[in-house]
Amino acid sequence: VPYGRGAESLLRQCLETGAHVTIQDMESLLTDYALRYPQAMTYLKACEDRVDNQGWLASSARRYRRLGVPQDEKRAKDMKRQARNFPVQSIVADAINLACRNLYRYRAEHVGPETFTFLLQIHDALLFELDPAHVPWLAKTVLPLCMTERVPIYPCDLDGNRIGTGPYHFRIDVSAGDVF
């Protein structure tokens, strides 16, 4: 819903994964979401309204998304979708950037037999290379510290000002595998 997906788009995605659903199912899903989370819908509408009013939004890390002036209805719809998407995407991007910084610092400050190589970031996933014997250390010590405890998430308004309580922290999922 925050990404502006409609019933037809959701239907196509579900059918591609083998789910047996109808367009009515997807319309019902969207209606139920709006009824169950009316505050979310109000928030998403406020994001869209920024296209016509201020023309920008800010994340809690004070990163700005400038939207420009829509030249036609198609562009206006796209900008509104981007405005709805920004709060969700920016908080994850800001958090993963801080987590990566924490991981590099941790590795520089803790030189020893247990170490890891940071190979790749793919959106909100990180890929490491390390001795299999050190996987429990990375999963139970390093990642929770660098990706959760040291990554505070503060709610903010659309101007980037902190509101409410916090900080909150993301949870992480860890999986390990062998590469041949």
Side-chain angles (χ1 to χ4, degrees), residues 6-12 14-15 20-33:
E8 289 180 15
S9 174
L10 291 171
L11 176 66
R12 278 192 305 274
C14 289
L15 293 175
H20 301 287
V21 294
T22 66
I23 190 72
Q24 292 81 15
D25 294 331
M26 297 301 98
E27 289 169 349
S28 177
L29 179 78
L30 293 172
T31 300
D32 291 348
Y33 183 92

Side-chain angles (χ1 to χ4, degrees), residues 29 74 93 100 103 117 146 154 157 162:
L29 179 78
K74 182 179 178 194
C100 288
L103 287 160
T117 302
C146 294
Y154 293 94
D157 62 19
R162 289 184 183 172

Side-chain angles (χ1 to χ4, degrees), residues 1-2 16 29 43-44 46 58 65 68-69 73 79 84 109 114 119 123 125 127-128 130 141 147-148 150 159 163 166:
V1 172
E16 287 172 4
L29 179 78
Y43 179 78
L44 294 171
R65 174 66 172 97
V69 179
E73 186 60 32
M79 288 176 156
R84 290 169 59 119
E109 294 168 0
E114 296 173 318
L119 296 178
H123 301 291
L127 181 64
F128 302 94
L130 66 153
T141 302
M147 296 186 73
T148 299
R150 292 184 179 170
D159 292 327
I163 56 173

Side-chain angles (χ1 to χ4, degrees), residues 55-77:
W56 59 271
L57 302 98
S59 73
S60 59
R62 305 300 282 183
R63 191 161 47 92
Y64 289 83
R65 174 66 172 97
R66 287 167 179 78
L67 300 161
V69 179
Q71 301 300 317
D72 55 49
E73 186 60 32
K74 182 179 178 194
R75 181 75 177 127
K77 282 184 177 182

Side-chain angles (χ1 to χ4, degrees), residues 10 25 28 47-48 50 80 82 94 102 107 115-116 135 146 151-152 157 174 177:
L10 291 171
D25 294 331
S28 177
C47 292
E48 288 182 359
R50 297 294 286 234
K80 289 181 180 189
Q82 290 177 35
D94 294 341
N102 292 341
R107 194 177 62 187
T115 188
F116 59 90
V135 169
C146 294
V151 181
D157 62 19
V174 178

